[in-house]
Amino acid sequence: MSNRQKFYINGEWVRPAGSDTLAVINPANEEPIDDIALGNEEDVNRAVAAAKAAFETYSRTSREERVAILERVIGVYQRRLGEVAATISEEMGAPMYLATQAQAPIGLAHLMTNMNLLKSFKFEEDVGTSHIVKEPAGVCGFITPWNWPINQITCKVAPALAAGCTMVLKPSEVAPFNAILFAEILDEAGVPPGVFNLVNGDGPTVGVALSSHPDVDMMSFTGSTRAGIEVARNAAPTVKRVTQELGGKSANIILDDADFETVIARDMVGMCSNSGQSCNAPSRMLVPNGRMDEAAAIARSAAEGVKVGDPNAADTNIGPVVSEVQFNRIQGLIQKGIDEGARLEIGGTGRPEGLNRGYYVKPTVFSHVTNDMTIAREEIFGPVLSLIGYEDDEDAVRIANDTVYGLSGYISAGDPDRARALARRIRSGQVHLNGASVDTNAPFGGYKQSGNGREWGVHGFEEFLETKAILGYNAAG
């Protein structure tokens, strides 16, 4: 029995309590890769008990001890970076270039960011006669998705380790092997037993058991808004802290003074990255009404250049989407766009020509979309762009904010001051100006139904701390 059929609990690879398994499918060829064990409530109870016991000692470790642990983890992760990339590519379909240059390295970036934060973070301060102390939040439960899997694991695990918390991780059962590999990395690095625990399983079983567990002090969830609501509902009776990074339907405002040819082509290709499976994907492109046809022609031309294919092929830009369920959902939404009257510029339903097996989706552009259409309201999570027209800056802001989501926003303009002014009016947790990329030091998270709390950087680190006031600490006598 390999580690893929075991759980990592209290510093050991252990057999599951039950016998249920699940085949993990390679989305590029629809063939099984391997099986994982599916956990149950008993497995969760064992993992939480281990984390609770370990918290008694790990929460009292010094800054220097935790820095040393993170340094060892970083060293092992760097050595096994290629394995992480290859594992992610196989199980969720990312092209090898993306897995090697972005998917795997961003995990390393979160580890290094939090190690550096830990070195200088101010855990204590005096306020008058009181002393304010920031302490570890406790036992943390993590539920993570499949789309950027090691990113979402490390942006929770790294700050938790740095803060002095202990944890139980339930990764996505669709792409779980990178999490198992990550557990091996932590084990090899000598993370103390019980500090990190891994139980595979599905949401209704392991997810519910973890989020409702009375000995879990905090839940951190990344996934769909629907599932996030369930996590919050299950956590509510024990009044635990819940942070959520949920869905998105980000607007990308192209102002009339932007270089259309450059920015529309750039953002069409960028939206397709990771097969469109990013919660912050700029899937609603807002362009001036009078230049809709011009924008559509540029986006169509850019989409023609996006090569869909085998993740291992050197010329592949995007691989398959992650699963048959996801493929079918995207196909249904593309058809919905056609049925509701959006103009299909390129792409559409079915697989790209020459790809008869695997969950491959055609890069698709719709123009003349209105913001009340389904493809403008629902998160598609595929390489599908909707071009929506606006009259002026006020109208663009109104349309951008006319969504239940608020994870990210994008603005391109020739005048930087104009872009900055509009950015302040977008109701989202991040706004990218003129193609700015992600920043692991900046907070990531959403407004409205895109979640609550923040990850990444110092804001993400502080989510794993409780604040205590010791009154009279500095009183005379």
Side-chain angles (χ1 to χ4, degrees):
M1 179 182 283
S2 77
N3 289 342
R4 289 180 170 182
Q5 287 84 46
K6 296 178 182 178
F7 302 143
Y8 187 71
I9 298 175
N10 203 30
E12 296 181 335
W13 290 99
V14 300
R15 291 178 178 271
S19 58
D20 290 346
T21 61
L22 177 72
V24 178
I25 306 299
N26 183 330
N29 57 26
E30 303 179 47
E31 297 292 333
I33 303 170
D34 201 350
D35 292 343
I36 57 164
L38 293 177
N40 58 29
E41 186 175 3
E42 182 180 342
D43 298 301
V44 172
N45 289 340
R46 292 164 65 196
V48 172
K52 183 180 180 181
F55 182 73
E56 293 301 316
T57 52
Y58 189 69
S59 62
R60 298 198 300 271
T61 53
S62 67
R63 182 197 309 265
E64 292 72 23
E65 288 173 301
R66 298 198 297 277
V67 166
I69 288 170
L70 283 165
E71 285 176 339
R72 295 197 302 271
V73 172
I74 288 167
V76 179
Y77 192 102
Q78 288 175 320
R79 182 165 51 78
R80 302 188 70 172
L81 190 66
E83 290 178 69
V84 175
T87 299
I88 291 171
S89 178
E90 182 180 36
E91 65 184 339
M92 60 77 60
M96 273 304 297
Y97 87 87
L98 184 69
T100 302
Q101 296 177 19
Q103 287 269 10
I106 198 167
L108 183 61
H110 288 305
L111 289 164
M112 296 183 73
T113 296
N114 280 278
M115 180 187 68
N116 290 329
L117 281 169
L118 174 59
K119 289 178 179 178
S120 59
F121 188 81
K122 190 175 182 180
F123 287 96
E124 302 188 15
E125 64 177 331
D126 291 326
V127 178
T129 61
S130 298
H131 192 63
I132 312 303
V133 181
K134 293 185 176 180
E135 300 179 337
V139 175
C140 303
F142 299 150
I143 301 176
T144 56
W146 46 260
N147 60 320
W148 286 85
I150 207 72
N151 167 67
Q152 281 124 336
I153 289 170
T154 53
C155 76
K156 300 179 194 303
V157 172
L161 286 174
C165 296
T166 60
M167 64 215 76
V168 179
L169 167 67
K170 187 209 88 66
S172 169
E173 68 273 28
V174 176
F177 297 144
N178 67 94
I180 294 168
L181 178 55
F182 186 64
E184 292 175 354
I185 289 170
L186 298 186
D187 183 72
E188 186 177 344
V191 173
V195 171
F196 172 87
N197 304 272
L198 169 69
V199 177
N200 278 307
D202 60 24
T205 307
V206 172
V208 169
L210 190 58
S211 55
S212 61
H213 202 291
D215 290 333
V216 171
D217 301 292
M218 171 184 175
M219 283 298 302
S220 179
F221 172 83
T222 303
S224 71
T225 298
R226 176 192 54 79
I229 291 168
E230 289 304 308
V231 169
R233 181 179 287 121
N234 293 323
T238 52
V239 201
K240 57 172 59 71
R241 180 184 299 187
V242 178
T243 61
Q244 302 165 314
E245 194 264 282
L246 308 175
K249 193 68 181 175
S250 300
N252 181 9
I253 301 174
I254 311 298
L255 293 174
D256 54 15
D257 64 343
D259 179 348
F260 270 39
E261 193 73 42
T262 299
V263 303
I264 291 175
R266 176 198 70 202
D267 292 352
M268 172 62 207
V269 173
M271 190 277 306
C272 287
S273 177
N274 207 41
S275 300
Q277 299 171 123
S278 297
C279 49
N280 60 346
S283 56
R284 289 186 299 147
M285 183 178 284
L286 278 55
V287 300
N289 276 325
R291 301 180 70 178
M292 174 63 72
D293 291 339
E294 175 191 355
I298 296 168
R300 182 172 62 245
S301 177
E304 287 173 347
V306 176
K307 176 70 163 55
V308 185
D310 182 348
N312 292 306
D315 62 343
T316 291
N317 298 125
I318 65 173
V321 296
V322 76
S323 68
E324 183 179 13
V325 169
Q326 187 68 8
F327 176 84
N328 289 337
R329 184 175 186 278
I330 295 167
Q331 298 301 307
L333 285 165
I334 292 173
Q335 186 60 54
K336 192 79 169 176
I338 295 169
D339 294 344
E340 291 185 356
R343 181 185 294 176
L344 180 65
E345 298 284 348
I346 191 172
T349 57
R351 292 180 174 86
E353 186 177 350
L355 295 171
N356 300 317
R357 191 164 177 78
Y359 308 124
Y360 296 98
V361 175
K362 297 174 185 176
T364 297
V365 176
F366 285 103
S367 67
H368 298 84
V369 176
T370 57
N371 209 45
D372 59 350
M373 291 181 180
T374 303
I375 56 173
R377 309 302 294 178
E378 294 190 18
E379 187 175 32
I380 298 174
F381 235 54
V384 181
L385 179 68
S386 296
L387 287 167
I388 301 170
Y390 67 86
E391 285 298 321
D392 52 25
D393 289 11
E394 289 295 319
D395 195 35
V397 170
R398 179 190 64 79
I399 294 169
N401 289 336
D402 180 21
T403 172
V404 299
Y405 297 113
L407 186 58
S408 197
Y410 300 77
I411 301 172
S412 288
D415 178 0
D417 288 337
R418 187 178 173 198
R420 293 185 191 110
L422 256 63
R424 294 179 180 276
R425 300 180 59 195
I426 302 302
R427 296 276 296 162
S428 64
Q430 288 195 333
V431 182
H432 300 247
L433 301 183
N434 290 319
S437 60
V438 298
D439 179 358
T440 57
N441 287 295
F444 188 93
Y447 289 22
K448 300 187 281 187
Q449 291 186 30
S450 285
N452 54 72
R454 291 294 181 268
E455 298 184 313
W456 301 28
V458 68
H459 294 82
F461 181 81
E462 289 178 337
E463 294 283 359
F464 292 91
L465 298 171
E466 290 281 13
T467 302
K468 174 186 289 181
I470 305 176
L471 310 182
Y473 189 91
N474 297 308

